Amino acid sequence: MQLEYFQLIDRILDLNIVEKTITVEAQVPTTSTVFEGHFPGYPIMPGVLLIESMAQTSGWLLVALMKFERMPFLAAVKEAKMRGFVTPGELLTVEASVVHEGSGYAITDAKVKVGGKLRCNATLTFSHVPFPNPDLRGHMDAVAKRIGFPSQAIA
Amino acid sequence: MSSTFDQVAQIIAETCDIPRDTITPDSHAIDDLGIDSLDFLDIAFAIDKAFGIKLPLEKWTQEVNDGKATTEQYFVLKNLCARIDELVAAKGAGGA
């Protein structure tokens, strides 16, 4: 994770196109300027960033299902529950599954676990469109390599 | 049609917190009920689930943007319900 660069996930552990599920791993850094303000003397991972980690995880699942032809954008967050603090240095497992694939939108359920225990979950809605420009597509290709996107899964 | 309308009206009332008795077959979802595109995604999801179909929102939006259709054709509720009935019938015939 590099919180300042919005890199909220580190690697894809499992991507199941048939079941429409994904599991990723994310190591919360031990130090970050984010923790200097959230909160002084009591650093915890901001809930909005946990939601972002679930959104990015869901996003990669949707990108895979759409074979890198379309880009999902977070449109709505529902039933987001922060069930326990996430602290610097913890290893997150983030899971997502598709609830519904509509026309131009999709809905996922996502959860963040630490040591097998649920820390937060949410239902997320995405709208998706063809990649708006080559730069974004190129960026996603680069990130895919960094996080070990299993290209054979969508071949 | 009436059954479809009742279901759709109930979905809209619950999803968008709009009084059920203000929703009529002639209501325009956008112009009369003030439903925006994000709220309409929730409605589409509920309709997709309730009727076992996939509303072709992208196609409709494209047709409206291209001037090939009017919003009334898809977003006046009686017309929306007619489209839903067509999709349900097509699904029953194995075409969707």
Side-chain angles (χ1 to χ4, degrees):
Chain A
M1 270 188 185
Q2 286 197 68
L3 303 184
E4 295 79 2
Y5 289 92
F6 254 54
Q7 294 177 3
L8 274 298
I9 65 176
D10 293 330
R11 64 198 134 267
I12 294 175
L13 300 179
D14 182 65
L15 173 64
N16 189 322
I17 296 296
V18 175
E19 298 292 329
K20 300 178 182 178
T21 61
I22 190 171
T23 303
V24 314
E25 200 169 62
Q27 179 75 53
V28 180
T30 54
T31 60
S32 165
T33 53
V34 168
F35 295 135
E36 293 173 16
H38 195 279
F39 295 96
Y42 196 70
I44 57 174
M45 182 87 162
V48 290
L49 293 182
L50 292 172
I51 290 171
E52 177 64 20
S53 73
M54 293 189 284
Q56 291 187 11
T57 301
S58 298
W60 281 107
L61 173 58
L62 296 174
V63 164
L65 291 172
M66 297 184 290
K67 298 185 179 299
F68 277 80
E69 291 174 356
R70 299 171 68 91
M71 178 72 184
F73 293 94
L74 182 63
V77 179
K78 292 180 182 170
E79 301 293 333
K81 293 181 177 172
M82 307 301 130
R83 299 172 184 275
F85 292 150
V86 170
T87 54
E90 288 193 304
L91 180 64
L92 310 184
T93 302
V94 191
E95 303 169 354
S97 60
V98 171
V99 174
H100 182 70
E101 289 176 284
S103 169
Y105 75 100
I107 297 171
T108 67
D109 274 341
K111 52 186 71 169
V112 175
K113 294 178 178 175
V114 176
K117 293 187 176 176
L118 188 63
R119 293 290 176 89
C120 67
N121 63 289
T123 299
L124 307 174
T125 301
F126 296 82
S127 59
H128 53 73
V129 297
F131 274 94
N133 62 48
D135 287 349
L136 180 56
R137 173 60 202 266
H139 169 74
M140 292 300 283
D141 284 340
V143 176
K145 284 183 184 168
R146 178 176 61 79
I147 64 175
F149 183 90
S151 300
Q152 71 279 6
I154 60 170
Chain B
M1 165 64 189
S2 60
S3 168
T4 302
F5 171 74
D6 288 339
Q7 285 188 71
V8 170
Q10 193 60 35
I11 285 169
I12 290 173
E14 291 174 0
T15 304
C16 299
D17 200 20
I18 295 171
R20 170 64 184 83
D21 57 6
T22 65
I23 303 170
T24 73
D26 289 317
S27 298
H28 190 301
I30 301 164
D31 297 341
D32 297 328
L33 302 178
I35 296 168
D36 66 17
S37 58
L38 185 54
D39 283 334
F40 204 84
L41 286 188
D42 286 336
I43 292 168
F45 174 44
I47 289 174
D48 285 359
K49 262 200 318 184
F51 293 93
I53 57 174
K54 187 169 172 176
L55 285 184
L57 289 182
E58 275 200 299
K59 177 171 169 277
W60 292 355
T61 304
Q62 193 63 49
E63 287 177 6
V64 170
N65 289 343
D66 291 345
K68 294 175 181 171
T70 63
T71 59
E72 286 75 12
Q73 285 176 251
Y74 298 125
F75 297 105
V76 168
L77 297 191
K78 63 185 179 188
N79 297 335
L80 174 64
C81 291
R83 300 287 91 75
I84 292 170
D85 288 341
E86 290 169 4
L87 290 164
V88 171
K91 181 189 165 206

